[in-house]
Amino acid sequence: MTDRLRAVRGHLVLAAVGLACVFPIYWMYATSLRRPGDVFATSLLPWPLSLGSYREAARELDVVGLLANTAVVAVGVAVGQLLVALLAAYAFAAYRFRGEKLLYLAMIGTWLIPFQVTMLPNYVLLYQAGLLNTLAGVILPQLLSGVAVLLLRSHMRSIPGELLEAARMDGRGSWGTLWTVVVPVLRPALAALAILLFVTAWNEYFWPAMVLQRSGAVIQLGIRGFLGTEGVRWGPLMAASGLACLPVFALYLVLQRQVVSAFVRSGLR
Amino acid sequence: MSRIRLSGLRKTYGDTVAVDGIDLDVADGEFLVLLGPSGCGKSTLLRMVAGLIEPTDGRVLVDDADVTAVPPRDRDLAMVFQSYALYPHLTVASNLGFPLRVRGERRAVVREKVAAVAAELGLTELLRRRPKELSGGQRQRVALGRALVREPGAFLMDEPLSNLDAKLRTSTRAGLSALHRRLRATVLYVTHDQVEAMTMADRVALLDGGRLVQVGTPAEVYDAPATTFVAGFLGSPPMNLLDVDAVVGPHGVRARAVGLDLSLPDAGPGPVPDAGSSRALVLGVRPEHLVVRAPDAPDAVLRGRVSAVENLGSEELARCVLGADGGPEVTVRGPRPLGVVPGREVGLAVDPARVHLFDPDSGRRLERRPGAVSPAPSSPAVEPALDDRPLARSLP
Ligand SMILES: Nc1ncnc2c1ncn2[C@@H]1O[C@H](COP(=O)(O)OP(=O)(O)OP(=O)(O)O)[C@@H](O)[C@H]1O
Ligand SMILES: [Mg+2]
């Protein structure tokens, strides 16, 4: 009886925490679905429903275009970071070479150095390279993620050496071993890392704002437009934000199984 | 099948010498076992043959071609790893087919060969499973199958049975031996388990501290150990080794120690010396060659007190302390019951032909020409230093 009581109490606490986490997201969608006049209403259910805020957001913003731009940036950054980190971590994990430690420390260092330190030099470099106001300009300086290198290297180190040796005996070169053995074995870790990198890149606000100040911006910059000097326009702001969140949810749904198993496993190890 | 030759093979890690100048010839179709204690450099040696480690010095030849600088994939050798190293993300079928696919074999050929190997190893029912859904024995067979499917020039195996339980190990041992006989495959097999070595090997190569100590058939290394290391490594329990004072005469040796007085006659006429200048030797007797006698029996050349008796089922082991308390200990092994009781005095007899002598400094075997029995086979030691001259003349 006390066991059941304890279980019930535990579930109540968990439910409360879960609600607290989900509520802001719910409120965002609820607000975006109210009639434009009801935006400040506090009823829990948005009734009557209206797509007015979405229409307003779409009228002022090229939502599809912005989402596409953002997707290009986020996918570019995440995939780029993943590839770079994969190759770098593989080199660090599988080979001994001169200057290995130094190079590794330098890569981890990029993660420790605050963004504010590198932002101006990067900006100047982009200016000189003529990449300001381009998506490439947003992506390029972010391609190396120190934390991704660190994580992947330690995951690769945990692959038994005999497995890699077996691949060599079976005739794989190091490139073939990477793609046919290392990547499949690390798939859960790679999926979790991919989500992490993608979400970070998707939510990145400041750096795109700096590089893309004038032209075809990403969605986070578009959303900024509703935070005008004459007041915040909550309806379209919530609508655009809600739309901006959808791709992240979608990605999570697709990769959820992998992510959960990666986290569960890293907990067990 | 291929022949493998190693010449002057060496590997050092900083100051550590893992493998110290090894010359070895593995004949075509031979099952050669590298045997030695943990850390003696067996795996390092095998990996150098495989090409996974670059030797510091020396050469590896496969069928007379120098492959020292050739990458593993082009050496035509297959390896079975201790951990099996199965690809966890692939099914059994894909694991077996992996080396073939890498080599660009056609899909139909791969399927055919995988099916054949799977049938041979009894894996047909398991082809769609992944490694983590297999038992240890099944994994071991998949690892073996992955090597077999390539039809390589030779097999390299690094303790492939050490993760199996005792019963499975016995049956797998027999299976491997049968497979070797049928394929006439060249096998270089690493183990620290002397039972595996004795039962499967055509020849055993004993390693100690990175050096080759003795190479020979299981019978040779057991019956005529080249050094005290080999004598103390093989056999369970291993050979009894006793420090003795020996008087060496032209016709034999008289060995004495606490609780021990032994005449070892050489061939030819003449008495074994009774007294004279003596020198230190190490005397070796296998536990199964000691025979229990009454303490006062005339042929009881060893006398002592039984300190413990162990029951092995069909046999018994008795540990005896020679002479007074604190004397050296010897182990006796024989069919149960041995007829000894702990705490009682006991006498032990031994056939002089079964007694081995070693140099105490180098640990090397000293050849004798025993009188009563036919000569022991000449030692196949790496350095055939001590030939079959009578001991007297081989001593400085
Ligand atoms: N990468 C390395 N760096 C430094 N020393 C090493 C390295 N690999 C092996 N050694 C050393 O070389 C010696 C031989 O190692 P090896 O793995 O060949 O032993 P082994 O005979 O296979 O032992 P086991 O039966 O325990 O597997 C050991 O003393 C070991 O510490
Ligand atoms: Mg080893």
Side-chain angles (χ1 to χ4, degrees):
Chain A
M1 196 61 208
T2 51
D3 271 1
R4 264 194 67 190
L5 215 76
R6 202 174 299 162
V8 167
R9 232 173 23 206
H11 278 97
L12 279 180
V13 170
L14 285 179
V17 172
L19 263 180
C21 290
V22 171
F23 185 77
I25 296 167
Y26 168 74
W27 199 249
M28 172 177 77
Y29 284 110
T31 307
S32 70
L33 287 171
R34 290 178 207 278
R35 284 181 308 190
D38 296 350
V39 164
F40 292 103
T42 50
S43 64
L44 267 182
L45 282 177
W47 200 259
L49 288 176
S50 148
L51 289 175
S53 295
Y54 286 87
R55 254 179 251 118
E56 196 178 336
R59 202 163 48 237
E60 293 188 26
L61 293 179
D62 170 18
V63 176
V64 174
L66 286 181
L67 278 177
N69 275 346
T70 316
V72 168
V73 169
V75 169
V77 169
V79 170
Q81 285 179 338
L82 211 56
L83 270 177
V84 170
L86 187 67
L87 295 177
Y90 187 50
F92 286 129
Y95 299 96
R96 307 278 75 85
F97 53 92
R98 256 166 188 276
E100 177 193 348
K101 277 223 168 91
L102 199 71
L103 197 59
Y104 181 62
L105 283 180
M107 287 200 175
I108 303 307
T110 63
W111 173 45
L112 301 176
I113 294 171
F115 169 70
Q116 287 77 358
V117 176
T118 55
M119 116 189 133
L120 285 179
N122 276 341
Y123 187 85
V124 173
L125 275 176
L126 288 182
Y127 171 74
Q128 287 170 346
L131 287 174
L132 282 185
N133 284 316
T134 64
L135 292 182
V138 181
I139 296 172
L140 266 181
Q142 299 192 64
L143 281 183
L144 175 67
S145 158
V147 79
V149 175
L150 180 94
L151 280 175
L152 281 184
R153 187 182 85 135
S154 66
H155 272 290
M156 284 186 194
R157 287 242 161 135
S158 70
I159 297 180
E162 289 197 343
L163 199 60
L164 304 181
E165 289 180 336
R168 271 177 82 194
M169 290 303 293
D170 286 344
R172 281 278 185 236
S174 36
W175 187 249
T177 304
L178 174 64
W179 294 109
T180 56
V181 179
V182 174
V183 166
V185 167
L186 290 188
R187 212 177 55 186
L190 285 170
L193 189 60
I195 291 203
L196 204 74
L197 296 176
F198 177 81
V199 171
T200 312
W202 182 272
N203 291 335
E204 182 62 58
Y205 169 80
F206 194 82
W207 178 245
M210 236 178 116
V211 179
L212 302 173
Q213 30 191 322
R214 277 172 292 276
S215 73
V218 295
I219 188 99
Q220 275 71 17
L221 293 185
I223 293 171
R224 186 176 60 169
F226 298 115
L227 303 161
T229 37
E230 68 277 23
V232 178
R233 293 158 62 203
W234 289 108
L237 177 71
M238 291 301 175
S241 302
L243 289 174
C245 290
L246 286 182
V248 177
F249 293 152
L251 184 75
Y252 182 77
L253 280 183
V254 173
L255 294 181
Q256 179 197 29
R257 234 179 36 150
Q258 317 256 352
V259 174
V260 169
S261 79
F263 284 131
V264 167
R265 270 194 230 176
S266 58
L268 285 179
R269 267 199 201 126
Chain B
M1 282 285 157
S2 302
R3 167 185 185 207
I4 301 174
R5 274 192 299 157
L6 315 179
S7 112
L9 212 54
R10 246 176 86 79
K11 180 71 188 178
T12 55
Y13 294 104
D15 289 341
T16 324
V17 182
V19 172
D20 194 1
I22 296 229
D23 298 295
L24 189 63
D25 197 340
V26 189
D28 186 349
E30 184 176 35
F31 198 122
L32 190 135
V33 173
L34 286 171
L35 178 66
S38 187
C40 69
K42 307 179 296 288
S43 300
T44 309
L45 182 60
L46 198 72
R47 283 180 154 69
M48 285 195 284
V49 177
L52 297 169
I53 301 182
E54 213 177 306
T56 314
D57 222 338
R59 294 185 305 150
V60 178
L61 292 92
V62 175
D63 286 334
D64 294 322
D66 189 337
V67 297
T68 316
V70 173
R73 60 171 297 168
D74 299 326
R75 292 191 182 195
D76 196 25
L77 306 171
M79 187 147 170
V80 180
F81 293 88
Q82 181 173 5
S83 66
Y84 312 143
L86 302 180
Y87 305 113
H89 58 291
L90 297 179
T91 61
V92 169
S94 306
N95 262 287
L96 291 175
F98 191 89
L100 299 177
R101 287 199 309 277
V102 171
R103 283 171 169 73
E105 287 271 19
R106 278 188 302 118
R107 200 174 284 244
V109 178
V110 172
R111 207 174 312 132
E112 201 174 297
K113 288 188 174 176
V114 165
V117 165
E120 176 162 331
L121 296 174
L123 294 169
T124 309
E125 306 295 310
L126 310 172
L127 282 176
R128 320 186 73 137
R129 299 221 198 145
R130 284 176 208 282
K132 66 164 181 273
E133 298 158 354
L134 300 178
S135 73
Q138 291 165 340
R139 282 180 212 182
Q140 199 275 337
R141 276 182 282 155
V142 176
L144 189 62
R146 196 175 57 183
L148 282 177
V149 81
R150 280 174 50 187
E151 299 164 14
F155 295 92
L156 309 176
M157 307 195 184
D158 192 352
E159 314 209 16
L161 307 186
S162 61
N163 288 335
L164 302 180
D165 67 47
K167 204 169 161 193
L168 201 52
R169 206 178 304 166
T170 311
S171 62
T172 313
R173 226 161 51 202
L176 267 181
S177 286
L179 195 69
H180 167 247
R181 274 197 305 278
R182 201 154 41 72
L183 298 178
R184 310 200 158 283
T186 311
V187 182
L188 186 54
Y189 185 104
V190 159
T191 183
H192 61 252
D193 181 349
Q194 50 171 311
V195 178
E196 284 175 26
M198 299 303 272
T199 51
M200 293 194 289
D202 292 326
R203 281 194 305 155
V204 180
L206 276 126
L207 252 75
D208 182 28
R211 286 170 183 274
L212 214 46
V213 184
Q214 186 174 9
V215 186
T217 64
E220 281 166 1
V221 294
Y222 189 81
D223 293 338
T227 67
T228 47
F229 165 77
V230 179
F233 189 79
L234 291 178
S236 64
M239 188 181 281
N240 295 300
L241 295 171
L242 301 165
D243 291 316
V244 296
D245 281 321
V247 181
V248 180
H251 303 294
V253 178
R254 181 75 173 262
R256 288 198 185 89
V258 179
L260 178 153
D261 187 351
L262 190 55
S263 290
L264 303 170
D266 271 0
V272 174
D274 195 26
S277 70
S278 71
R279 59 161 294 183
L281 287 181
V282 174
L283 182 145
V285 189
R286 293 224 173 262
E288 62 268 33
H289 293 148
L290 289 170
V291 187
V292 174
R293 290 278 190 268
D296 49 2
D299 62 345
V301 289
L302 287 80
R303 281 160 218 258
R305 187 188 299 274
V306 178
S307 61
V309 178
E310 288 172 23
N311 180 355
L312 301 184
S314 68
E315 294 188 314
E316 251 176 2
L317 290 183
R319 300 188 194 283
C320 309
V321 177
L322 295 185
D325 284 340
E329 194 184 71
V330 295
T331 308
V332 184
R333 175 177 177 158
R336 191 164 69 100
L338 268 179
V340 293
V341 180
R344 295 271 178 81
E345 300 285 322
V346 70
L348 299 170
V350 61
D351 176 355
R354 301 289 201 180
V355 173
H356 310 256
L357 290 176
F358 302 93
D359 182 79
D361 301 322
S362 65
R364 286 188 183 288
R365 173 183 190 78
L366 302 171
E367 280 303 335
R368 306 192 298 112
R369 186 179 286 162
V373 208
S374 57
S378 69
S379 161
V382 196
E383 293 180 26
L386 301 151
D387 45 33
D388 55 3
R389 286 173 301 167
L391 175 60
R393 266 169 282 148
S394 76
L395 289 175

